[in-house]
Amino acid sequence: MIDWKSVLICSGMAIVLSIILSIGGYIIATLYAGYRVGGQYPTGAIHGILVVFIATTFVLMINLLLFKAIPLGLIGVPGTFIISFFVLAIFSGIFGSIGGTLGAYIKKRTY
């Protein structure tokens, strides 16, 4: 069962920390998500993936609005945007699953 409260809290944390620490913010947020849900490693990994996916999608959309990439023609081909989004989702999923699993491991070791 997915704990959406933890996912949303950690996603907000990832967004704020990513502004300050870049990729380190995502790692800290996924570690906390895995620690917060604890228990099984797959549960921590799933929550880490969801946290990073939500945060990355939000940050990507904000960057597109701030830098006005769409009117400048940087995303002229929708296929390019879709492919880059999936590549970003894959790498984010890898970081999220590692961070969530490590967070669950830390919680399991402390109790």
Side-chain angles (χ1 to χ4, degrees), residues 4-81:
W4 287 105
K5 183 179 177 184
S6 295
V7 169
L8 293 177
I9 289 171
C10 293
S11 294
M13 190 169 99
I15 291 167
V16 171
L17 288 176
S18 70
I19 294 169
I20 300 167
L21 302 173
S22 186
I23 194 74
Y26 291 119
I27 294 170
I28 292 169
T30 56
L31 281 170
Y32 183 64
Y35 183 83
R36 190 172 168 130
V37 296
Q40 303 293 325
Y41 298 132
T43 305
I46 289 170
H47 283 77
I49 290 170
L50 288 173
V51 165
V52 173
F53 185 74
I54 291 170
T56 304
T57 303
F58 184 78
V59 169
L60 178 67
M61 294 303 156
I62 294 299
N63 283 336
L64 288 176
L65 291 175
L66 287 179
F67 296 117
K68 300 177 184 168
I70 295 171
L72 293 175
L74 296 177
I75 306 176
V77 181
T80 304
F81 178 70

